[in-house]
Amino acid sequence: SLKERISEPAYESFARQSRAASLQNNLLLIETPNGFTQNFLSKKYTALFKEILQEISGDPIEIQFIVNETMTLDAPPSAPGAN
């Protein structure tokens, strides 16, 4: 899985806040909450995302990161004992 192949901070800060929006004609659109996340994932992880998707589907899948500013961001989990 993606979570096992990137650092925990990168997953929690960027990947976890994104989601698949649509898949048509072997193009997966991935929504991100802002331009910073879109740029980060696109530059650092496009190849990894494509590799994982091909492993899962058996077909090459192109990906495009898009911004959806209406996404609600999940709050990070509280540290144990923080309450």
Side-chain angles (χ1 to χ4, degrees), residues 2 5 26-28 30 41-42 45-65:
L2 179 65
R5 293 167 83 172
N26 289 347
L27 173 64
L28 177 65
I30 300 175
L41 290 174
S42 180
Y45 292 109
T46 293
L48 179 59
F49 272 66
K50 289 169 71 171
E51 179 182 319
I52 291 169
L53 289 166
Q54 184 162 358
E55 289 172 7
I56 293 168
S57 72
D59 295 316
I61 306 279
E62 292 299 316
I63 60 171
Q64 181 178 355
F65 295 95

Side-chain angles (χ1 to χ4, degrees), residues 7-78:
S7 71
E8 185 174 344
Y11 180 81
E12 291 297 325
S13 297
F14 301 104
R16 188 167 78 82
Q17 301 298 339
S18 302
R19 65 177 178 224
S22 69
L23 174 63
Q24 293 182 334
N25 301 320
N26 289 347
L27 173 64
L28 177 65
L29 297 181
I30 300 175
E31 292 180 329
T32 64
N34 55 55
F36 182 80
T37 300
Q38 175 196 31
N39 189 46
F40 180 84
L41 290 174
S42 180
K43 287 187 177 199
K44 297 281 268 181
Y45 292 109
T46 293
L48 179 59
F49 272 66
K50 289 169 71 171
E51 179 182 319
I52 291 169
L53 289 166
Q54 184 162 358
E55 289 172 7
I56 293 168
S57 72
D59 295 316
I61 306 279
E62 292 299 316
I63 60 171
Q64 181 178 355
F65 295 95
I66 59 173
V67 176
N68 177 352
E69 294 178 349
T70 64
M71 291 176 69
T72 46
L73 298 178
D74 294 334
S78 298

